[in-house]
Amino acid sequence: FGQAKTIDDDLLGDLEEALFTADIGVRTSQKLVDMVHDSLGKKDMDRPDKVWAALKDQIRALLDVGAPPLDLDRAKPLVIMVVGVNGAGKTTSIGKLAKRYTEAGKKVLLAAGDTFRAAAVEQLEVWADRAGVPVVKGSSGQDPSSVIFEAIERAEREGYDVCIADTAGRLQAKVELMDELAKVHRVSGKALAGAPHEVWLVLDSTNGQNAISQAKVFTEAVAVTGLVLTKLDGTAKGGVIIGISDEMRLPVRYIGIGEKVEDLRAFDADAFAEALLA
Amino acid sequence: TISKGFRTVKHRFQGKRELTEDNITEALRDIRISLLEADVDFKVVRGFIGRVKEKALGEVVQISAGHGADRQEVKPGDHFIKICQDELEALMGPVDTGLNFSAGITTVMMIGLQGAGKTTTTGKLAQWLTDQGRRPMLVAADIYRPAAIQQLRVLGERLDVPVYHEEGKQPPEICKNALGYAKSRGRDVVLFDTAGRLAIDEQLMGELGEIKRLTKPDNVMLVVDAMIGQDAVRTAASFDERIGIDGFIMTKLDGDARGGAALSIKAVTGKPIKFLGMGETLDALEEFRPEGLASRIMG
Ligand SMILES: Nc1nc2c(ncn2[C@@H]2O[C@H](COP(=O)(O)OP(=O)(O)OP(=O)(O)O)[C@@H](O)[C@H]2O)c(=O)[nH]1
Ligand SMILES: Nc1nc2c(ncn2[C@@H]2O[C@H](COP(=O)(O)OP(=O)(O)OP(=O)(O)O)[C@@H](O)[C@H]2O)c(=O)[nH]1
Ligand SMILES: [Mg+2]
Ligand SMILES: [Mg+2]
């Protein structure tokens, strides 16, 4: 007597509510609860503090995808292609990265690969100015592949360490836009063998379950190598990346925590799990 | 047209002669999962499931007590689905689209989180208004985002609609002065495009309050991204409490996001869904109709 075989119903309800309202999703929430269950000794099942601690550990475990640390020196220029749905925070994140890498002593070049949206190039130019780096841009409506091709060639010719390519926002359900992105990827490889060395999908942490479809479809189109999770300074928890990490083994490289140039942090899984359950 | 979620439910009841507590519970489990995966708010789902269960069980009692004998003619699956659909429609609320037009100059204030689609939707509304024979004017009141003014100016040029801005002024003053300018130019609808902001940002919410105080807008529209998850209710409720919204516009529905937040926001704030953004071009705006959204959310 006094030995619980399963987690108490009320506590289970609290766990579920915390998980669902953090956008962790049905499938992953169930998986986490099962993992917590399996990891707990019988006598700990009815101790809320043990259960919550176990949940945090399992979240940490799923986020640890075993990706190698980011190595900006493994290619010169290291070409980073930034992709994602409309309004996720791509252009802003590129501005922050340009500043961060410049301060780390890297020579950075930006490519204004969004040739479609109103004032997209102008927006990137303001960020480039803030970071003190140049931008390669084309004419409005120009094929984004050719703009990025030119940028990579210039980066190589002029000894840049990093070339970051901005692309237009696009919804993954739009086949012709995903084809355009795949072409940008292919053409980058023609400008420089091995490019793009990194393809980062920018995910808005206010997104719900659609982020999973974004990760899958963008990866099918351009072999995504990492994630940037933006807008974590808001009230959304970004829990959907736990399922994405588990299923797709994609590392979160950075998080965006505001709209200023310094509002970027390297991803810290422990801090993320802590904030999620807060 | 019946959605996939409802089809699974129908399947469950195939060959069953009646609604029972067991088959209702099973069906509701499927529906709950479907709604949560569609990003409907956790508590809104709980309320919905509770009400449907109560109604459906009430039917079981009725039928087994021999009342409503003629109801046994309706297949149990169809009957259960009808209960769900009625409940969904009740949540979506009565259709109340379009804008509140005033006798003089009609004002529309566009607000919402960063990247939701405010600037683009402001342009779309201007096109919609022009098509109706009105004379809109756009006000660039986002002084923070790089090239935000430029973005709105490009849209204005495409639509041949004037864009008002004043360098070096704060948004409340820009919006207030825009009204005088609109009057002098014979414009009859003024749309304020504001900067994206978090509902928890005290200073920026204060700025919105100030714009509202100075311009007394006829329409405060909350612009919401269809992909938004469980944060939808938190955000919408905060904006509504702090500023007061007249309606909301859901954008990016041309993608495959289920858009469950539309249900949640309507359920919690009681405010109507006015328009739907269906693409990046300025003609991609529709007035809200419940049928399409209900079946999309049900999956
Ligand atoms: N609060 C907050 N806002 C952010 C963050 N990252 C980006 N934003 C804001 O989100 C909005 C959209 O950012 P953009 O950089 O234009 O997004 P994008 O993905 O390039 O958008 P498109 O090119 O139109 O697809 C802007 O208002 C940014 O300031 C973040 O980490 N926190
Ligand atoms: N596919 C699609 N894209 C849209 C829709 N509405 C807006 N967008 C895109 O979403 C992105 C963000 O739109 P904006 O109008 O800049 O959003 P915003 O709310 O003004 O952003 P901030 O001012 O930074 O808060 C742009 O790439 C738009 O083209 C829509 O209905 N469908
Ligand atoms: Mg951009
Ligand atoms: Mg805007």
Side-chain angles (χ1 to χ4, degrees):
Chain A
F1 104 111
Q3 293 231 317
K5 290 210 191 57
T6 63
I7 299 170
D8 159 68
D9 265 356
D10 281 347
L11 182 52
L12 197 58
D14 289 346
L15 289 179
E16 268 202 346
E17 179 157 351
L19 294 171
F20 287 143
T21 57
D23 286 313
I24 292 182
V26 177
R27 203 193 69 87
T28 305
S29 296
Q30 187 57 56
K31 177 164 184 170
L32 281 169
V33 168
D34 291 345
M35 286 165 75
V36 165
H37 215 242
D38 295 345
S39 75
L40 282 176
K42 266 219 222 88
K43 64 173 171 35
D44 286 341
M45 294 271 188
D46 56 1
R47 292 195 46 189
D49 58 332
K50 293 283 186 198
V51 175
W52 284 102
L55 180 60
K56 179 164 173 249
D57 289 341
Q58 297 307 334
I59 289 175
R60 278 283 285 111
L62 288 186
L63 289 172
D64 182 4
V65 302
L70 191 57
D71 177 11
L72 296 179
D73 300 321
R74 65 192 176 81
K76 181 170 164 135
L78 184 84
V79 176
I80 303 172
M81 186 174 154
V82 178
V83 304
V85 299
N86 306 73
K90 298 177 290 301
T91 306
T92 305
S93 300
I94 290 171
K96 296 172 182 175
L97 288 166
K99 178 78 164 167
R100 181 186 184 94
Y101 293 157
T102 298
E103 288 189 334
K106 302 284 176 220
K107 191 171 165 192
V108 180
L109 180 70
L110 302 183
D114 180 352
T115 57
F116 171 76
R117 207 207 69 211
V121 175
E122 288 80 350
Q123 183 187 7
L124 187 67
E125 285 184 309
V126 173
W127 281 108
D129 216 59
R130 287 176 182 176
V133 306
V135 183
V136 170
K137 57 182 180 178
S139 50
S140 168
Q142 179 175 336
D143 182 351
S145 297
S146 68
V147 176
I148 292 174
F149 185 94
E150 284 169 40
I152 296 175
E153 283 207 321
R154 176 174 165 189
E156 205 181 350
R157 199 172 55 239
E158 299 182 12
Y160 283 87
D161 299 307
V162 183
C163 174
I164 313 177
D166 193 8
T167 62
R170 65 203 67 221
L171 301 182
Q172 72 278 18
K174 306 218 156 156
V175 179
E176 72 284 5
L177 295 182
M178 297 312 286
D179 287 347
E180 176 187 79
L181 207 60
K183 180 176 171 203
V184 168
H185 192 273
R186 274 199 307 282
V187 169
S188 300
K190 295 214 169 72
L192 174 67
H197 308 92
E198 296 285 343
V199 177
W200 291 344
L201 172 64
V202 177
L203 294 176
D204 183 331
S205 61
T206 64
N207 281 182
Q209 301 308 303
N210 190 258
I212 300 179
S213 156
Q214 291 171 33
K216 291 202 169 117
V217 179
F218 272 88
T219 299
E220 278 165 28
V222 288
V224 170
T225 60
L227 306 172
V228 175
L229 188 61
T230 62
K231 310 180 195 173
L232 274 175
D233 46 316
T235 46
K237 305 276 182 161
V240 68
I241 63 143
I242 299 172
I244 293 174
S245 298
D246 181 35
E247 262 187 81
M248 306 192 58
R249 316 304 289 162
L250 288 172
V252 179
R253 292 303 189 185
Y254 298 98
I255 61 170
I257 55 163
E259 302 188 69
K260 300 194 296 301
V261 74
E262 64 267 21
D263 294 332
L264 188 79
R265 298 279 179 281
F267 183 64
D268 174 343
D270 202 78
F272 180 82
E274 186 88 18
L276 193 131
L277 296 178
Chain B
T1 51
I2 194 166
S3 63
K4 185 152 111 310
F6 277 132
R7 252 177 271 143
T8 315
V9 168
K10 223 164 139 54
H11 219 252
R12 255 198 197 289
F13 286 107
Q14 212 120 32
K16 303 278 189 299
R17 290 181 306 110
E18 57 191 358
L19 288 182
T20 64
E21 174 145 16
D22 278 352
N23 60 33
I24 288 170
T25 305
E26 288 295 298
L28 284 176
R29 193 165 305 152
D30 290 342
I31 290 176
R32 177 174 182 259
I33 291 178
S34 180
L35 291 175
L36 285 172
E37 290 186 332
D39 296 321
V40 179
D41 180 78
F42 183 72
K43 295 205 167 92
V44 170
V45 173
R46 183 187 292 162
F48 175 86
I49 299 294
R51 285 190 303 279
V52 169
K53 183 168 191 175
E54 190 176 354
K55 273 194 189 158
L57 288 182
E59 301 286 342
V60 171
V61 169
Q62 275 234 323
I63 291 168
S64 64
H67 301 288
D70 53 302
R71 289 204 190 183
Q72 290 173 334
E73 297 308 323
V74 179
K75 291 211 210 60
D78 292 345
H79 191 51
F80 181 79
I81 285 172
K82 178 84 177 51
I83 295 176
C84 291
Q85 277 176 331
D86 288 349
E87 197 51 42
L88 262 182
E89 280 190 29
L91 272 180
M92 294 239 136
V95 174
D96 170 12
T97 64
L99 301 174
N100 300 324
F101 289 99
S102 84
I105 293 182
T106 296
T107 42
V108 184
M109 187 166 138
M110 307 288 283
I111 69 179
L113 295 175
Q114 291 88 347
K118 296 175 293 302
T119 304
T120 308
T121 306
T122 302
K124 291 179 184 180
L125 277 175
Q127 163 130 357
W128 184 77
L129 291 162
T130 302
D131 291 347
Q132 289 186 342
R134 298 183 198 269
R135 299 161 55 74
M137 181 178 98
L138 307 181
V139 180
D142 177 354
I143 62 172
Y144 312 101
R145 170 176 155 149
I149 316 292
Q150 182 62 5
Q151 185 184 3
L152 196 65
R153 284 205 168 117
V154 171
L155 300 187
E157 268 163 43
R158 283 184 198 163
L159 298 167
D160 192 19
V161 166
V163 177
Y164 184 87
H165 180 65
E166 272 181 87
E167 271 308 312
K169 293 275 165 70
Q170 291 297 308
E173 193 177 355
I174 295 171
C175 294
K176 170 124 179 79
N177 293 346
L179 294 182
Y181 183 83
K183 192 159 197 269
S184 71
R185 290 287 186 293
R187 313 306 296 183
D188 59 9
V189 187
V190 175
L191 301 112
F192 307 123
D193 179 24
T194 69
R197 68 205 63 214
L198 300 176
I200 53 172
D201 186 325
E202 281 305 320
Q203 187 184 6
L204 285 182
M205 292 307 280
E207 174 189 281
L208 275 191
E210 191 60 5
I211 295 174
K212 183 170 188 190
R213 189 180 71 81
L214 291 180
T215 64
K216 309 217 182 323
D218 303 299
N219 304 272
V220 177
M221 297 294 214
L222 180 68
V223 179
V224 179
D225 188 324
M227 300 171 242
I228 195 170
Q230 297 291 316
D231 194 50
V233 165
R234 266 191 296 260
T235 292
S238 302
F239 273 98
D240 197 23
E241 277 161 40
R242 281 299 306 270
I243 308 297
I245 65 178
D246 295 305
F248 62 105
I249 301 179
M250 182 160 270
T251 62
K252 308 178 201 173
L253 279 163
D254 44 318
D256 59 6
R258 300 269 295 279
L263 201 62
S264 322
I265 294 177
K266 172 73 182 66
V268 172
T269 64
K271 300 298 161 76
I273 306 167
K274 296 281 190 177
F275 295 93
L276 306 177
M278 303 295 279
E280 293 194 74
T281 53
L282 297 177
D283 55 1
L285 187 73
E286 296 176 8
E287 285 188 53
F288 170 65
R289 280 194 323 274
E291 314 79 47
L293 204 47
S295 70
R296 174 184 190 128
I297 290 174
M298 261 307 292

